[in-house]
Amino acid sequence: MTARRKRAVPAAILTGLLALTACGGGSGSGSGDGDGDVSMTFWHNSTTGDGKAYWEDMVAQFEEANPGVTIEVQAIQNEDMDGKLQTALNSGDAPDIFMARGGGKLADVVAAGQAKDLTDLISDDVTSEVGDAAFSPFTIDDKVYGMPVSVLPGGIYYSKDLFAQAGITEAPTTMDDLSDAVTTLKAAGIDPIALGAKDAWPAAHWYYFFALRECAQDTMTESATSKDFSDPCWLKAGEDLEEFAGTEPFNNGFLTTTAQQGAGSSAGLLANHQAAMELMGAWEPGVVSSLTPDEQPLSDLGWFPFPAVDGGEGGDGAMMGGVDGYSCSVNAPDACADFLNFVLSKENQEAYADAFQTLPANKEAQGVVTDPALQEVLAAYNDAPYVQVWLDTLYGANVGNALNAGVVDLLAGQGDPQGIVDAVSSAAAKE
């Protein structure tokens, strides 16, 4: 992994932040002593390496610029975050600053009265430099309840060296191309696609992308409100996945493989040239680089969009992905929003892109992206007619979990395409 580059905070930012010292505490879960001192808790999912160091750096700089403000940081494993956060929210002991991905999951938190309205607390600079698109997943009933730090569109990452070894000269653009690549790679003794199905969501991504290609944008959007999954495109997406899975494209033992934890994870298989491809979001280069033998970026890492599907109603070039961001608990002090504004400055977003090897939400900071694979992602993202939020995020925890489980059942030979639709519809009916 490239060395994290520390950047000094511009004097203008420090001067402005010093004024925050007067923000009062005691009005929320962040405690205060009545004299302007504020303490907050902060949960993020970067447990190792440059990502963890980045957040420690940001907190230290913010505290230095704001005497009397302290932030207690807790790093939580990504796969454990949702469960621990929900427990903390329900118990009334939520962290002041917590990771959020917007969509239906955040809407549920807002409906439960557990998230702070940030609409009037976002700085003008952040509003203009980030733009409406990245804020949209965190906007509910015209109010903003979270602030994005990175945009994470998905697609297929691949090893250029393994493709060349197998004699594949061009990235697939259609499902027929992808199926041909799978056959060619297997003939060369190379596992075509790494899949960490033990964590469920990576397996479900395959269904999501088939649905993105089969379903019209309006169908997906309307289903988020109506929870009606009767459109034939939902079943067709499952049939597409069943057919593709029948070619046995995934690594041996994919059902018990984790996504990102260690060299034996699906990301680790790609990082160590044990598999040629992985379908994943734009956090992939950073994760992969942390799992290579020398912890350096994978020099032959490439990317291509999820292939086209014949006859699908999805928009040509449409992408699917998420936006990582952070929200404040409903009783958090306003200093929570001040911290997020600080993180979203151009300077600190450039540092974020370096640390995580990903795409920053602040458009003014995207010029720092030099990784060739991420540059390809960014170009496709900027040209996309629309970007659909991950379906488990869009439809909320209950429906999303049922969807993910239904996909794993299909891949395990314990379910079928209709079973996915039935599971999702049943979960929606209970809401």
Side-chain angles (χ1 to χ4, degrees):
M1 184 176 293
T2 54
R4 180 174 52 90
R5 298 203 296 271
K6 294 184 68 173
R7 291 181 169 84
V9 180
I13 294 178
L14 285 173
T15 301
L17 290 173
L18 287 171
L20 301 179
T21 307
C23 57
S27 62
S29 57
S31 61
D33 63 8
D35 296 321
D37 287 352
V38 173
S39 61
M40 296 181 291
T41 51
F42 171 34
W43 286 12
H44 65 77
N45 70 340
S46 305
T47 57
T48 60
D50 284 4
K52 183 178 182 182
Y54 169 84
W55 285 122
E56 292 170 351
D57 224 20
M58 288 298 99
V59 167
Q61 289 186 33
F62 187 77
E63 288 177 338
E64 182 179 1
N66 294 273
V69 176
T70 58
I71 302 176
E72 179 184 346
V73 184
Q74 185 170 354
I76 297 173
Q77 172 62 39
N78 182 68
E79 277 65 38
D80 297 334
M81 176 64 81
D82 283 356
K84 288 188 176 183
L85 178 59
Q86 193 59 59
T87 298
L89 288 166
N90 292 342
S91 69
D93 190 28
D96 297 283
I97 312 166
F98 59 88
M99 191 169 191
R101 297 183 173 96
K105 288 185 177 180
L106 181 59
D108 291 341
V109 174
V110 171
Q114 297 166 327
K116 186 181 184 74
D117 179 2
L118 304 177
T119 309
D120 297 327
L121 300 176
I122 302 169
S123 74
D124 291 342
D125 284 346
V126 167
T127 298
S128 63
E129 292 176 4
V130 172
D132 293 341
F135 272 110
S136 62
F138 303 98
T139 303
I140 299 162
D141 294 332
D142 297 323
K143 295 182 178 180
V144 181
Y145 292 91
M147 297 172 69
V149 294
S150 59
V151 292
L152 302 165
I156 298 179
Y157 290 85
Y158 72 103
S159 164
K160 294 179 181 178
D161 288 351
L162 291 183
F163 267 41
Q165 182 179 323
I168 301 172
T169 58
E170 295 183 357
T173 59
T174 68
M175 282 309 301
D176 285 344
D177 291 342
L178 183 60
S179 294
D180 288 344
V182 166
T183 300
T184 302
L185 287 161
K186 290 170 71 173
I190 300 168
D191 277 351
I193 299 172
L195 178 59
K198 183 177 181 180
D199 291 323
W201 57 266
H205 280 184
W206 282 91
Y207 177 84
Y208 300 173
F209 275 90
F210 278 119
L212 177 71
R213 296 290 180 250
E214 292 288 3
C215 298
Q217 182 184 17
D218 288 347
T219 299
M220 286 192 163
T221 302
E222 290 167 5
S223 294
T225 302
S226 68
K227 299 298 177 13
D228 179 359
F229 299 92
S230 61
D231 191 290
C233 71
W234 297 109
L235 179 61
K236 186 64 170 66
E239 292 171 346
D240 289 344
L241 175 57
E242 184 177 49
E243 180 180 356
F244 182 65
T247 67
E248 299 184 353
F250 306 123
N251 59 286
N252 185 40
F254 70 89
L255 290 169
T256 56
T257 299
T258 60
Q260 300 173 342
Q261 301 174 47
S265 67
S266 55
L269 295 178
L270 181 60
N272 293 282
H273 288 157
Q274 300 300 305
M277 293 178 273
E278 185 178 23
L279 175 62
M280 198 54 66
W283 57 83
E284 180 81 335
V287 174
V288 165
S289 69
S290 72
L291 298 173
T292 59
D294 57 1
E295 296 188 358
Q296 294 296 316
L298 192 64
S299 61
D300 67 315
L301 187 66
W303 177 90
F304 59 89
F306 193 86
V309 173
D310 288 342
E313 297 182 6
D316 186 25
M319 299 185 75
M320 178 168 288
V323 179
D324 272 1
Y326 287 85
S327 293
C328 300
S329 62
V330 65
N331 292 319
D334 287 354
C336 175
D338 296 331
F339 174 69
L340 296 179
N341 280 318
F342 171 71
V343 169
L344 277 166
S345 71
K346 176 180 181 291
E347 187 88 3
N348 291 331
Q349 277 274 279
E350 289 175 342
Y352 184 95
D354 278 352
F356 289 90
Q357 296 180 42
T358 192
L359 303 177
N362 187 321
K363 291 179 289 187
E364 297 295 318
Q366 290 176 352
V368 78
V369 175
T370 58
D371 181 279
L374 285 177
Q375 288 179 331
E376 293 179 49
V377 176
L378 187 58
Y381 177 80
N382 290 335
D383 288 341
Y386 58 90
V387 179
Q388 185 66 60
V389 176
W390 303 117
L391 297 190
D392 56 349
T393 299
L394 179 66
Y395 297 131
N398 293 333
V399 174
N401 289 342
L403 172 56
N404 293 354
V407 173
V408 173
D409 284 345
L410 181 147
L411 294 177
Q414 299 172 356
D416 57 22
Q418 187 61 52
I420 296 175
V421 177
D422 290 346
V424 170
S425 299
S426 177
K430 296 176 182 177
E431 292 192 333

